[in-house]
Amino acid sequence: MSTRKRLAAALVASVLLLAGCSFGKDDEKPAPPPAPDLTRAPGAVAVKKGPFKAGPVKAPKRGALFGAWIKPDELTHVGRLAAVDSLQADLGRSLTIVNTYRRFEQMVGTPSDKEFLARGATLMVSWATGDNRSILDGNHDDLIRKQARAIRKTKVPVMLRMRWEMDRPNLRATMWSGPDYIAAWKYVREIFRQERANNVSWVWCPTAEGFIRGDAPGFYPGDDQVDWTCVDVYAGERFEPIGTLMGPFLTWAAQRPKPIVIGEFGVARAWGSAGRAAWLRDARRTFKVNPQIKAITYFESNPEGNGPKKQFQLTGDPPAFKEFESMVKDPYFNP
């Protein structure tokens, strides 16, 4: 072979190598990562059993309260009641906690709120407060006072998740920073105190991802400001055991003298019926070996516009729903 041909061959080989090209068996696509081991016994780190100072909504001495958010077909009084009633009928039990979402200007005390409370359920209000610096400038004092009075008028204990998932990167434009969020939290809580809204348990609820990244703890207002610690955790983009997904949070929360509520949890339909059922079975074990977890609330919703890795509704998936039903009928979740 001539020198010119040898150089040409070497050049072609170099280009193929840089492009990641190869021949034969090496041309096959790499194998997918192995499925997570959901049979291994979950680790336990949050083992405090209490009693805890949890504010007006008391943590059970043993076991954990069960609740859910169920997306209604229509965001009306009738729609909200129908959604909750349908899930309760399918499960054969009532929800102890009803999670409900409110924009900053939406008040607690709607007809459906009153109906759920009359039935003996506890409301967990996920309240999307606005720009933290705007709050601190006093621009929303009247609105905050109105909400405080509305919650006070319920005359029953209410769990309040003030701007849950505050650590999400896409909220940074309104959260600004951890210190800004903490200052706004204290500002809002002081207004509630002035309005004698003493029936609120304050729930601090970041994301499991925020603890994996390491930035969520910087938003914590302090043990003297928080009644329940909380986390939202999903097997969505990452199909891993729930103990792995929320492990950094549990390690952190185990050092706090607070009960834990799983504010939202869910497993995406993308992982298949058998995978979802196995994930839920593992979640049940994980909750029970971490007795500091005193409440769990499932996210029974398929948010519009999301792909299959962010669709979490269990209704309509018999194998997964059967496992979910078995979990919530466990006496541990009926304290």
Side-chain angles (χ1 to χ4, degrees):
M1 182 183 295
S2 67
T3 301
R4 181 177 296 178
K5 288 183 178 180
R6 283 197 299 270
L7 289 173
L11 179 61
V12 170
S14 298
V15 170
L16 291 175
L17 179 62
L18 290 172
C21 297
S22 55
F23 300 96
K25 293 182 179 180
D26 292 337
D27 198 33
E28 298 175 359
K29 292 182 179 179
D37 183 3
L38 298 175
T39 62
R40 183 180 300 174
V45 293
V47 296
K48 291 186 176 71
K49 297 181 179 180
F52 299 101
K53 293 182 179 179
V57 178
K58 306 301 182 186
K61 292 182 178 179
R62 184 184 181 279
L65 309 175
F66 164 70
W69 154 254
I70 310 98
K71 184 181 179 182
D73 292 333
E74 296 182 2
L75 292 172
T76 63
H77 168 63
V78 173
R80 290 176 185 274
L81 291 180
V84 171
D85 289 346
S86 177
L87 182 64
Q88 290 183 153
D90 290 342
L91 290 174
R93 62 156 293 176
S94 298
L95 304 180
T96 307
I97 299 173
V98 174
N99 184 18
T100 181
Y101 295 88
R102 300 297 155 88
R103 295 191 300 271
F104 201 2
E105 71 279 5
Q106 291 179 316
M107 297 295 109
V108 174
T110 64
S112 55
D113 291 343
K114 293 177 181 177
E115 178 65 25
F116 295 137
L117 293 173
R119 297 176 179 182
T122 295
L123 282 183
M124 183 167 71
V125 180
S126 301
W127 189 28
T129 50
D131 185 287
N132 285 326
R133 293 186 181 179
S134 181
I135 289 172
L136 293 169
D137 286 340
N139 296 338
H140 307 286
D141 286 6
D142 290 343
L143 174 60
I144 296 167
R145 290 187 185 280
K146 184 179 179 182
Q147 185 71 284
R149 291 193 290 268
I151 294 178
R152 186 189 70 203
K153 288 179 181 178
T154 66
K155 298 181 179 179
V156 294
V158 172
M159 302 178 84
L160 183 62
R161 292 203 302 169
M162 176 179 154
R163 188 53 274 177
W164 73 103
E165 298 187 357
M166 76 303 294
D167 59 304
R168 286 189 346 228
N170 68 334
L171 291 178
R172 202 54 52 88
T174 53
M175 296 297 98
W176 294 92
S177 68
D180 286 298
Y181 175 81
I182 292 168
W185 174 290
K186 293 179 179 179
Y187 188 93
V188 170
R189 185 162 183 175
E190 172 59 20
I191 291 177
F192 270 60
R193 187 195 66 78
Q194 294 171 8
E195 294 296 332
R196 306 187 311 282
N198 300 321
N199 56 325
V200 174
S201 278
W202 294 82
V203 180
W204 180 72
C205 201
T207 65
E209 292 86 350
F211 276 89
I212 293 172
R213 290 192 309 268
D215 54 9
F219 291 83
Y220 186 60
D223 293 345
D224 62 328
Q225 293 287 320
V226 171
D227 295 311
W228 290 69
T229 59
C230 174
V231 73
D232 289 353
V233 55
Y234 291 94
E237 298 293 337
R238 298 171 57 180
F239 186 61
E240 294 181 342
I242 194 170
T244 301
L245 293 169
M246 65 177 178
F249 163 78
L250 287 177
T251 299
W252 177 90
Q255 309 307 312
R256 308 260 71 81
K258 304 293 175 181
I260 296 167
V261 52
I262 308 302
E264 301 170 15
F265 73 103
V267 56
R269 71 183 188 191
W271 304 116
S273 295
R276 300 177 89 193
W279 192 88
L280 289 166
R281 188 160 53 250
D282 178 71
R284 175 182 178 181
R285 297 185 308 158
T286 302
F287 296 149
K288 293 178 71 171
V289 299
N290 288 277
Q292 200 169 337
I293 297 174
K294 293 297 184 181
I296 61 171
T297 52
Y298 192 81
F299 189 79
E300 176 67 356
S301 177
N302 288 334
E304 294 179 5
N306 287 351
K309 289 188 177 181
K310 293 185 179 179
Q311 303 288 324
F312 303 103
Q313 189 176 65
L314 295 171
T315 303
D317 185 347
F321 192 88
K322 182 178 180 181
E323 192 62 49
F324 182 54
E325 180 184 11
S326 178
M327 175 197 292
V328 303
K329 284 187 174 179
D330 185 325
Y332 189 86
F333 300 103
N334 291 268

